[in-house]
Amino acid sequence: MINIICVGKIKEDYLSNLINDYCKRINKYHKLNIVELKDSNIKDEGDLILKNIKSGDFIVTMEIDGNNIDSVTLAKSIDLWLAKSANITFIIGGSNGIDERVKALSNYKLSFGKNTFPHGLFRGILLEQIYRSFKINNNESYHK
């Protein structure tokens, strides 16, 4: 299973539509679960995130200073991570980042660059990249 734990709710319809579309696409390849957590202070968000991490999950934290890799490398990484663990859990923190306790559990720190994105849009971007990874790993064409 691929889990995405994220802080904050999606309020905009266009982002909900984007996210729902990619969830449907990904579910054709692999089971996907999104856990939305309440915005709060970083410690409380950390507590909520920690409660939703399962033992044995391969944890990928989305961090601005993480590893910035291309789509093909991400696809190969996802394939490798799924071979190591039944679950990959991606974590998108709140506006103040990710609690240090959560970062300490991370198996891989991933970045999509130094830019700051709205959380809903970033969730859509992450889902698109996960979908692209499955297309790459299955040798299926997808627009560039």
Side-chain angles (χ1 to χ4, degrees), residues 15-75:
L15 290 174
S16 292
N17 291 338
L18 173 76
I19 290 163
N20 290 335
D21 180 51
Y22 279 110
C23 286
K24 288 176 192 168
R25 293 179 189 212
I26 292 167
N27 273 309
K28 292 177 183 174
Y29 296 95
H30 204 84
K31 189 164 169 86
L32 175 72
N33 179 49
I34 295 179
V35 177
E36 288 185 335
L37 304 175
K38 181 181 172 191
D39 281 311
S40 187
N41 63 62
I42 198 164
K43 183 195 176 305
D44 289 347
E45 290 171 358
D47 290 341
L48 291 172
I49 291 169
L50 291 170
K51 286 179 185 173
N52 283 280
I53 294 174
K54 294 176 183 66
S55 176
D57 285 4
F58 188 91
I59 300 168
V60 180
T61 48
M62 303 305 302
E63 301 185 37
I64 202 162
D65 292 322
N67 299 292
N68 191 353
I69 57 177
D70 63 27
S71 296
V72 172
T73 304
L74 179 60

